[in-house]
Amino acid sequence: MNVRIDPSWKQLLGAEFDKPYFEKLASFVRGEYVNNQCYPRGSEIFAAFSECPLQQVKVVILGQDPYHGPGQANGLCFSVHDGVLHPPSLINIFREIEQDLGAPYPKSGDLSRWARQGVLLLNAVLTVRAHSAGSHQNQGWEEFTNAVIRKLSAEKEGLVFLLWGGFAKKKAPLINSAKHHILTSGHPSPLSANRGYWFGNKHFSRTNELLREQGKKPIQW
């Protein structure tokens, strides 16, 4: 199957696109987009990969599935288009950055500025039906994104994986912890954050420390 994706990723993931599960997934997604309102836009489904070429990846943030409200999802986990109200989880991410680094709360919720610095913003599921959270789970996306994580773990060294919440933490066995750094905490959603499982994790400063130790440029969060 011909998937439009950055050439660096196509070389790494090309075999996945020809597997039976991906053909079945592609057929499902096409049908969903024809018969229902789905997010993100078709051109943005693989935005995480086009915004952050393979050779630039330094940090990986794992989300679950895209926002399902109108105009929110842009193909990058936790990110929204400019002009869209910041969802609660994104607000809590920015508040933790404020506390951790003293950086001002940003106007833009578009995290492509992170992606361009080497942060892969990867949802486990890349599409969703409007107003129906989790509606595209268990159709094959998880198999694909698990393969992405495994291949990153095998091919790269010194990546910083940020696993927020129970769902993301379950991906830890896919990562070689002898080669990479894994930081875990509660999810930035209000339910978790208000119980004290998010704020104060200092993941943003800790990530930059780990990058500096490797001689890599820190992220301007």
Side-chain angles (χ1 to χ4, degrees):
M1 180 180 176
N2 186 28
V3 175
R4 278 183 262 175
I5 195 170
D6 184 90
S8 63
W9 286 106
K10 193 141 194 175
Q11 186 174 359
L12 184 72
L13 301 172
E16 294 300 314
F17 301 136
D18 294 326
K19 290 182 179 179
Y21 86 86
F22 198 91
E23 294 284 351
K24 186 177 178 182
L25 167 64
S27 177
F28 167 79
V29 171
R30 280 193 293 266
E32 283 287 289
Y33 273 71
V34 167
N35 296 308
N36 301 286
Q37 179 69 53
C38 295
Y39 303 119
R41 292 187 294 242
S43 61
E44 295 176 328
I45 291 173
F46 293 98
F49 303 95
S50 58
E51 294 283 353
C52 185
L54 174 62
Q55 62 271 20
Q56 295 181 16
V57 178
K58 298 187 287 191
V59 180
V60 182
I61 299 178
L62 298 178
Q64 193 158 355
D65 54 329
Y67 297 122
H68 54 83
Q72 291 181 309
N74 65 3
L76 309 175
C77 71
F78 296 106
S79 176
V80 293
H81 287 289
D82 279 340
V84 175
L85 287 175
H86 299 176
S89 292
L90 185 58
I91 290 172
N92 286 337
I93 288 170
F94 287 153
R95 285 178 175 166
E96 174 59 22
I97 292 171
E98 277 187 299
Q99 294 177 19
D100 186 14
L101 299 172
Y105 189 102
K107 290 182 180 178
S108 173
D110 183 353
L111 302 183
S112 59
R113 60 186 182 275
W114 295 1
R116 289 191 292 269
Q117 297 177 73
V119 182
L120 181 66
L121 295 159
L122 181 66
N123 276 317
V125 175
L126 302 189
T127 57
V128 70
R129 192 184 303 169
H131 311 296
S132 184
S135 50
H136 289 185
Q137 292 178 5
N138 302 315
Q139 297 293 334
W141 278 130
E142 295 92 340
E143 187 168 351
F144 172 70
T145 53
N146 282 351
V148 172
I149 296 167
R150 286 193 194 95
K151 289 175 185 293
L152 280 171
S153 177
E155 298 293 328
K156 305 279 281 186
E157 287 192 17
L159 298 181
V160 183
F161 287 85
L162 304 182
L163 309 185
W164 300 335
F167 180 87
K169 290 175 186 176
K170 290 178 183 176
K171 304 295 183 179
L174 304 176
I175 304 162
N176 183 345
S177 59
K179 291 175 60 183
H180 304 285
H181 306 280
I182 302 173
L183 303 182
T184 63
S185 81
H187 196 274
S189 67
L191 182 64
S192 174
N194 293 339
R195 290 177 175 174
Y197 301 135
W198 167 254
F199 290 113
N201 66 27
K202 297 189 180 297
H203 275 192
F204 304 97
S205 61
R206 290 174 65 193
T207 294
N208 281 349
E209 288 169 9
L210 291 167
L211 293 176
R212 286 191 192 96
E213 288 171 5
Q214 300 176 65
K216 297 177 182 177
K217 189 175 180 180
I219 306 299
Q220 292 186 9
W221 301 105

